[in-house]
Amino acid sequence: MTTDTVSDGVPAPQTPSRPWALALTAIVGAEFMLQLDGTIVNVALPTLQDDLGVSVTSGSWVPNAFLLAFGGLLLFAGRLGDVLGHRKVFLGGIALVVVASLIAGLAPNLEVLLVGRVLQGAGAAIAGPTGLALLAVVFEGERRQRAFGLYSTVTGLGASAGMVLGGVLTWAGDWRWSLLVNVPVGLVIILIGLRTLGLKDDSTQARSLGLPSALLVTLAVTAGVYGLVHAAEKGWGDGTTLGALGASVVLWAVLLVADRRTAEPLLPGKIFADRTRAGAFVDLLLLAAVLTSFLIYLVQYLQNVLGFNALESGLAILPFGAALLLSTQVLTKFIATVDLRIRAIGGLVVVLAGVGWLTLLDGDSSYAAGVLPQIVLIGLGVGVAIIPFNMVILTTAPPEHAGITAGVLQTALTIGGSVGLAVLLIPFTDGAGAADTISQVFVWASLITALAILTAVVFWFGPGTKKASPAAAEQGGRPDRNSPVDRSRFHRRTGATGWPPRPRAGRLADREASVTERNLSRGLSYAAADRGSP
């Protein structure tokens, strides 16, 4: 046991260090489950369509129903967490996913299945942003970096792992298993969350949910995502595509007007006022556009040109996930002292190298020489870049807006992925087949990656930017040891020569661990109170 002194000077008993790992398991495990839900049924679609007797067009709504509900509710779900408390909203979202998975997995027809998928998407939208916000609320210092690293890893692994797991479950049993697997996993996550996080938050504030703005933003995002999904299927010139995208633009305009007239806007200007954070939002959207299209169109190439089946395609993508895991869990430790912005841009440069290398693909390429080294390089770059982006956004956001900020982050990822699929469909379909067009797909993807690098440089280091380092914000307001600006300011202010101005590493680690344990112990005590314990 450890102790910490609260504001009245009375030492407060603390929990052992183990609960922080259990809390991280619940949050990261939930995110992995939610990421799986987006792709796990894709491999099972042919079997599902045969079993329920539906067409390919009707069957395409099984993944799209999830995507529409998920994308449409993300921002409102973020506000729910800020108002009602991230812990209870997070666990409530997981509970909804469990119930929805049971409905979808036991569905006797397509209609009931789609209801279950919509509810799954809604539960994922509720749990996703609040779980991400909890990482910034519960964890501090080195443990926060480790938490974001693991979270970023499972986010990147989820899509490719979903295709593999979906293929394995469908091959071993039935397409329904790919939906029902959420039930026991979700229940375990809920039990761990109740034990380590509890249901009460200190950071909630009495404020309006902003239901009119919530309705507008839900309709705007849903219309936009639908338009992008439809564009990927029918093209940009289709009337339904143009109508949906036009409606989304109008709804966004109405939302901005409505938000300006309310004291509690759904999208507070503070979220976008910081130039560093705004640049990170844009870069995440562009990176999501590249990664989502990279996974989808490369799988098309593997199956249609190299002759891989669904399971083999999923396994072929796994080296990307392994490289991402290596960079987030191992490589990041060696570059942890580098400015977050430099790490993010460096990661994007590595991604650009891998995507640019894929422009050499053609009908005569092999997996070993034409695909494998390139996707490993992309995985390494994504792992280096994604953690800084997440940390820049969430650790610099106002605490009272942590939930909505996480909602904006995940909305950027969702819309970015949809934009990437729709935009890169243009070069992918402009030829005789995947063997002829795959090279142009990655030429376009390289241009998007280059735009992301340029965006980061302009937003973070361009004229008019502040010289403060976002790494200093992550260190809880302490000067960044790698920032020459922070160093010179310290020397001018104090006349001291030592650097960096902080406690010894051992003491600092103990203090950060104590803060994390205090946050978790609150959750444990709240959980005990919820169970009626003395």
Side-chain angles (χ1 to χ4, degrees):
M1 301 289 286
T2 61
T3 61
D4 189 30
T5 302
V6 295
S7 57
D8 59 3
V10 179
Q14 295 298 313
T15 58
S17 60
R18 187 180 177 188
W20 82 269
L22 291 176
L24 183 59
T25 298
I27 297 171
V28 172
E31 178 61 20
F32 189 65
M33 181 181 73
L34 302 180
Q35 290 292 328
L36 287 178
D37 285 345
T39 58
I40 194 169
V41 299
N42 291 3
V43 175
L45 277 179
T47 305
L48 182 155
Q49 289 160 186
D50 291 341
D51 189 27
L52 297 181
V54 299
S55 65
V56 174
T57 302
S58 298
S60 67
W61 280 103
V62 176
N64 289 343
F66 177 93
L67 180 62
L68 288 175
F70 178 72
L73 291 171
L74 277 171
L75 292 177
F76 178 56
R79 168 58 71 86
L80 277 178
D82 289 335
V83 175
L84 302 179
H86 300 303
R87 301 168 195 259
K88 62 172 68 72
V89 173
F90 168 71
L91 294 174
I94 298 299
L96 180 57
V97 170
V98 170
V99 173
S101 300
L102 198 59
I103 293 173
L106 300 178
N109 51 51
L110 180 63
E111 291 75 17
V112 176
L113 174 58
L114 292 181
V115 169
R117 287 292 284 171
V118 168
L119 292 176
Q120 267 191 330
I126 293 171
T130 49
L132 186 54
L134 280 173
L135 290 184
V137 171
V138 172
F139 300 99
E140 294 286 343
E142 180 184 353
R143 285 180 173 174
R144 178 186 282 173
Q145 291 216 35
R146 292 169 62 185
F148 273 113
L150 191 56
Y151 182 92
S152 301
T153 300
V154 302
T155 300
L157 287 175
S160 55
M163 291 186 288
V164 176
L165 184 59
V168 170
L169 291 174
T170 303
W171 170 77
D174 186 75
W175 64 268
R176 298 179 185 274
W177 288 20
S178 62
L179 296 165
L180 294 173
V181 68
N182 284 337
V183 177
V185 174
L187 290 175
V188 171
I189 291 172
I190 290 172
L191 291 175
I192 295 176
L194 287 172
R195 176 71 180 88
T196 58
L197 295 171
L199 293 174
K200 294 184 180 180
D201 290 85
D202 292 337
S203 58
T204 56
Q205 296 183 5
R207 66 168 83 169
S208 169
L209 283 174
L211 292 179
S213 294
L215 178 61
L216 284 171
V217 77
T218 299
L219 292 175
V221 176
T222 300
V225 172
Y226 176 79
L228 293 170
V229 169
H230 201 269
E233 296 177 351
K234 302 295 183 181
W236 289 95
D238 182 80
T240 303
T241 298
L242 296 175
L245 294 177
S248 179
V249 171
V250 171
L251 288 166
W252 277 112
V254 174
L255 172 66
L256 293 177
V257 173
D259 262 5
R260 292 183 64 179
R261 296 180 177 179
T262 179
E264 290 286 349
L266 183 66
L267 292 175
K270 290 182 180 180
I271 295 177
F272 306 101
D274 181 82
R275 186 167 173 173
T276 301
R277 190 161 56 247
F281 277 131
V282 176
D283 270 342
L284 274 181
L285 187 148
L286 294 173
L287 183 58
V290 172
L291 291 183
T292 303
S293 53
F294 148 71
L295 289 171
I296 297 298
Y297 293 123
L298 186 60
V299 166
Q300 293 287 331
Y301 173 82
L302 292 174
Q303 294 185 3
N304 297 327
V305 178
L306 298 187
F308 288 23
N309 61 33
L311 182 57
E312 289 170 340
S313 299
L315 293 173
I317 296 296
L318 276 186
F320 161 78
L324 192 151
L325 179 66
L326 176 67
S327 60
T328 56
Q329 299 301 308
V330 179
L331 181 59
T332 299
K333 297 178 181 179
F334 296 98
I335 57 175
T337 58
V338 178
D339 188 305
L340 290 174
R341 299 167 297 178
I342 300 298
R343 287 161 54 184
I345 293 174
L348 289 177
V349 170
V350 176
V351 172
L352 178 59
V355 174
W357 198 355
L358 286 173
T359 61
L360 302 178
L361 282 177
D362 57 27
D364 297 324
S365 300
S366 66
Y367 172 77
V371 176
L372 179 59
Q374 292 87 332
I375 65 175
V376 169
L377 194 60
I378 293 172
L380 291 173
V382 172
V384 171
I386 195 70
I387 297 176
F389 282 134
N390 286 336
M391 292 183 68
V392 164
I393 290 173
L394 291 170
T395 61
T396 62
E400 67 273 17
H401 298 309
I404 190 65
T405 302
V408 173
L409 186 156
Q410 294 207 332
T411 300
L413 294 176
T414 301
I415 293 178
S418 300
V419 168
L421 287 176
V423 169
L424 295 185
L425 179 70
I426 298 173
F428 187 73
T429 56
D430 188 23
D436 295 327
T437 61
I438 192 65
S439 176
Q440 282 302 305
V441 168
F442 288 110
V443 169
W444 285 43
S446 297
L447 293 175
I448 297 174
T449 309
L451 178 60
I453 296 172
L454 179 62
T455 298
V457 172
V458 171
F459 271 84
W460 295 348
F461 300 102
T465 54
K466 295 180 180 180
K467 299 304 181 182
S469 167
E474 153 55 18
Q475 295 174 27
R478 295 186 301 276
D480 179 11
R481 64 182 302 172
N482 300 289
S483 170
V485 176
D486 286 349
R487 182 185 294 110
S488 62
R489 285 176 179 168
F490 172 74
H491 290 164
R492 286 198 308 268
R493 186 173 64 250
T494 66
T497 58
W499 186 261
R502 59 183 181 133
R504 288 182 295 114
R507 284 200 212 148
L508 179 60
D510 290 342
R511 188 180 69 180
E512 291 168 345
S514 178
V515 172
T516 299
E517 289 166 2
R518 182 177 70 241
N519 291 336
L520 287 171
S521 68
R522 288 172 180 165
L524 287 168
S525 62
Y526 290 149
D530 293 334
R531 293 192 299 268
S533 299

